[in-house]
Amino acid sequence: MTLHHFEPINKSMRNLSLEEKVAEMCVLGLAKQTLPSADKLRLGQIGGVGIFPHDIGSYAYTKQLLQEVREAAGEQRGGLPFYLSIDEEAGSLSNFKDFFPYIPGNRAVALSEDPQAAYALGRLIGSQLFELGIPMNWAPVLDVNTNIDNPVIGVRSFGEDPKLVAAYGEAYIRGLHSAGIASTAKHFPGHGQVSGDSHYVLPECELTLEQLMAGPLIPFQRAIEAQVDSMMLAHLIFPNIPESQGLPASLSPFFVTDLLRIQLGYEGVICTDDVEMGAIKNNFEPEEVGRLAIQAGNDMILMCHTPDFQQRVMNGIVQAVRAGDIAESQIDASLLRIERLKNSFVMYREKAQPLPMNSWEKEALALAKATIVVEQDPASLLPLTPSKKYLLLVPKQEKLTVADNAAASELTLEAKLLGKNINVKTIYTSMQPDAQEIEAIMAELTPYDVVMLGTINAHIFEDQLQLARRLADAKPLITLVLRNPYDAALLPQKTSKVFICSTSEYAMRAFAELHCTI
């Protein structure tokens, strides 16, 4: 097979002005779910675009929008494709669930205890991106979720064991690559141990460098060995790592250059997480953000919402170069890495072996079935049977973080069970049912033989546990852990417990097909 090769820093890049070079290092978001003339003008002047849930419509609309983006950007600038990426993680952050199979995410996949499931996840997601013409994914999430109350990672992580996360992350990267898609490991050096959400605040991580090296950094080291294409830096501060000088990792020369680039030997593109997140935007002026991000050693800056903020960030970089605070040779080195990344887009696409679209449903269902685990069933309440009446109680999903669009989807479990001739009725509860709501639920139990209770982060929303205890004393109870797995240890011991760790349609279908009598 013949692959394209490009000279280092092609002619079109060498002839750019300083302002144009800086713009090539910036990845922006679109203003809204259209492509107005202002966006079209900017697209011809910047390095890349990030696609977000608000940009997604129907399949036809999304395909058309992406084509317009590529055309407006001038897809073959100097023979290289446009940088176009998305956070497509599956599970709680799924952008295409209205028209592609809505599949479980990382934590559910880890229930399989088989890294091959992570490879299958990466290949299926990669096949979807290949079909849409998006060459890069801001995934996988390689954060080790050591703080179980972490508000922003949770089921986006493969788990709590660094070596397990490393194995699944490496397999996921290979899966993306096999489908022709470039990968991004995030959020370096690890967001899973903090208690704050960087979309809103600037969290602190108390770990020392030695502790980071012994745990959270292991998956990122493995990703480097797997030839991950990009690394995304987290907005976290590390008070016990004095070399960082109190700066967020994303703006810290120690984390970006000394640790990632030099000590760990990473040679690919390094980018910030979105600098319009509250962690950065609320603590630094835009011009300072641009200067600090590039001085730290980032090759690309993600800023995905506000044109004025974005322009000020770019102005700050230009001013810093002209003042001698940043060498233009550093800008050129970043442009070379970006060119190499875009070269890889071409090579991955030429070698791609994506799954054919007509196989996606079968692959999604097989993957979902591999993720569902019955931890215990002491009263032999499974499988479900048409001879019994079931009451299904499920919290009405809420948006738990900005990086979460699961709440917009209706839980389809009742429909899947009815399709298997199971006599079931659903009652939606609050995420935090109070005493009055619990009493109202208890008054509904009489006609039912068995109650099924879905939990969504009951280890945080603890009133769900109070409801579970009351139900377990009144009726045979099956508990379905639908989000973080940590609920199971807190649920009544005498109940049946099923790990699903997803509310996706294919997870619901898999449960119905695995645990209903025919």
Side-chain angles (χ1 to χ4, degrees):
M1 180 179 294
T2 301
L3 301 180
H4 294 289
H5 296 283
F6 303 92
E7 63 174 342
I9 309 187
N10 66 53
K11 184 177 179 180
S12 64
M13 290 290 192
R14 285 201 305 267
N15 293 335
L16 295 178
S17 68
L18 175 59
E19 288 82 358
E20 289 169 331
K21 289 180 180 181
V22 168
E24 283 290 327
M25 302 171 71
C26 296
V27 180
L28 311 185
L30 302 176
K32 57 184 67 175
Q33 197 194 50
T34 57
L35 199 58
S37 57
D39 269 338
K40 290 183 179 179
L41 178 63
R42 298 170 77 218
L43 285 172
Q45 303 168 342
I46 60 173
V49 161
I51 300 298
F52 294 92
H54 64 261
D55 299 314
I56 308 300
S58 66
Y59 171 71
Y61 173 87
T62 304
K63 286 274 284 189
Q64 178 64 29
L65 176 68
L66 293 170
Q67 182 60 29
E68 289 181 14
V69 168
R70 286 188 291 269
E71 289 175 355
E75 184 172 11
Q76 297 297 321
R77 303 188 215 183
L80 293 173
F82 186 56
Y83 179 107
L84 192 59
S85 192
I86 191 167
D87 294 290
E88 184 53 34
E89 299 174 9
S92 61
L93 188 52
S94 297
N95 294 284
F96 311 124
K97 57 182 180 287
D98 288 343
F99 50 84
F100 288 163
Y102 179 19
I103 52 181
N106 289 354
R107 192 59 183 85
V109 162
L111 293 172
S112 69
E113 299 185 347
D114 181 3
Q116 186 63 24
Y119 174 86
L121 178 65
R123 190 178 183 198
L124 181 52
I125 289 174
S127 300
Q128 295 175 355
L129 298 184
F130 187 91
E131 162 64 23
L132 291 170
I134 299 175
M136 185 159 196
N137 196 6
W138 288 323
V141 172
L142 294 185
D143 305 302
V144 182
N145 202 55
T146 49
N147 176 8
I148 67 172
D149 294 331
N150 189 309
V152 67
I153 302 300
V155 290
R156 299 170 67 199
S157 168
F158 286 110
E160 304 76 44
D161 180 342
K163 292 181 179 179
L164 180 150
V165 173
Y168 281 78
E170 185 269 340
Y172 183 104
I173 290 166
R174 287 192 296 106
L176 279 180
H177 286 171
S178 72
I181 303 301
S183 55
T184 304
K186 62 185 184 185
H187 309 80
F188 184 90
H191 208 304
Q193 59 275 358
V194 301
S195 57
D197 184 343
S198 52
H199 291 97
Y200 306 106
V201 299
L202 181 55
E204 291 190 8
C205 176
E206 299 297 331
L207 297 185
T208 64
L209 180 58
E210 292 74 19
Q211 290 170 323
L212 271 181
M213 293 294 290
L217 285 181
I218 291 173
F220 294 99
Q221 291 173 291
R222 183 76 168 269
I224 292 172
E225 295 169 5
Q227 298 185 314
V228 71
D229 304 282
S230 179
M231 285 275 190
M232 182 183 291
L233 270 288
H235 302 319
L236 308 173
I237 56 176
F238 291 81
N240 294 321
I241 301 180
E243 299 93 330
S244 65
Q245 300 181 323
L247 287 170
S250 55
L251 305 181
S252 163
F254 170 75
F255 279 106
V256 180
T257 297
D258 297 345
L259 181 58
L260 179 54
R261 185 71 78 198
I262 297 174
Q263 186 170 339
L264 299 183
Y266 184 60
E267 297 180 352
V269 167
I270 299 175
C271 67
T272 68
D273 204 345
D274 183 2
V275 296
E276 293 194 65
M277 293 164 65
I280 301 300
K281 192 172 185 177
N282 296 342
N283 292 284
F284 299 89
E285 289 298 313
E287 292 82 2
E288 185 181 24
V289 170
R291 175 179 61 81
L292 289 173
I294 303 307
Q295 284 180 329
N298 288 287
D299 301 302
M300 302 191 88
I301 301 176
L302 276 54
M303 38 188 175
C304 304
H305 302 287
T306 313
D308 178 66
F309 181 95
Q310 295 159 0
Q311 187 59 54
R312 290 177 61 188
V313 168
M314 289 187 274
N315 291 345
I317 301 169
V318 171
Q319 292 164 8
V321 173
R322 290 191 170 139
D325 296 327
I326 297 172
E328 189 164 355
S329 60
Q330 180 186 336
I331 304 294
D332 290 339
S334 289
L335 291 185
L336 178 56
R337 293 190 193 99
I338 294 167
E339 283 191 11
R340 288 172 177 164
L341 174 61
K342 292 180 177 181
N343 189 359
S344 75
F345 292 171
V346 178
M347 290 190 289
Y348 285 139
R349 191 163 188 91
E350 288 190 344
K351 296 189 296 181
Q353 294 182 310
L355 295 164
M357 189 182 292
N358 61 12
S359 74
W360 291 358
E361 289 195 13
K362 179 181 177 181
E363 296 287 341
L365 184 59
L367 178 63
K369 285 183 175 180
T371 69
I372 293 176
V373 175
V374 178
E375 183 187 36
Q376 66 178 44
D377 186 21
S380 298
L381 300 178
L382 295 170
L384 308 183
T385 174
S387 64
K388 294 180 180 178
K389 294 185 66 174
Y390 295 89
L391 178 64
L392 174 61
L393 300 169
V394 193
K396 187 171 179 58
Q397 294 187 82
E398 297 177 4
K399 189 177 181 71
L400 300 181
T401 176
V402 172
D404 177 359
N405 59 10
S409 301
E410 180 182 353
L411 193 76
T412 61
L413 182 53
E414 179 183 302
K416 305 304 181 189
L417 295 178
L418 290 172
K420 296 293 181 180
N421 296 318
I422 301 301
N423 187 346
V424 60
K425 175 186 175 182
T426 300
I427 293 178
Y428 286 94
T429 72
S430 305
M431 288 287 286
Q432 286 277 47
D434 60 20
Q436 183 177 0
E437 184 177 0
I438 291 174
E439 290 304 324
I441 291 168
M442 298 303 294
E444 296 284 335
L445 300 185
T446 302
Y448 300 99
D449 301 301
V450 179
V451 176
M452 292 185 289
L453 174 67
T455 67
I456 297 179
N457 289 6
H459 67 291
I460 297 173
F461 299 95
E462 295 181 351
D463 289 341
Q464 294 179 41
L465 300 174
Q466 175 62 22
L467 174 58
R469 288 189 285 268
R470 291 289 304 278
L471 293 170
D473 289 337
K475 289 282 184 177
L477 180 62
I478 301 169
T479 52
L480 308 176
V481 178
L482 298 177
R483 188 101 175 192
N484 285 343
Y486 319 117
D487 297 357
L490 304 174
L491 291 165
Q493 283 302 308
K494 61 184 177 181
T495 68
S496 299
K497 299 180 183 180
V498 183
F499 286 112
I500 301 179
C501 295
S502 175
T503 56
S504 72
E505 178 185 2
Y506 276 75
M508 300 300 98
R509 181 176 167 184
F511 174 80
E513 294 200 8
L514 288 171
H515 296 298
C516 295
T517 57
I518 298 175

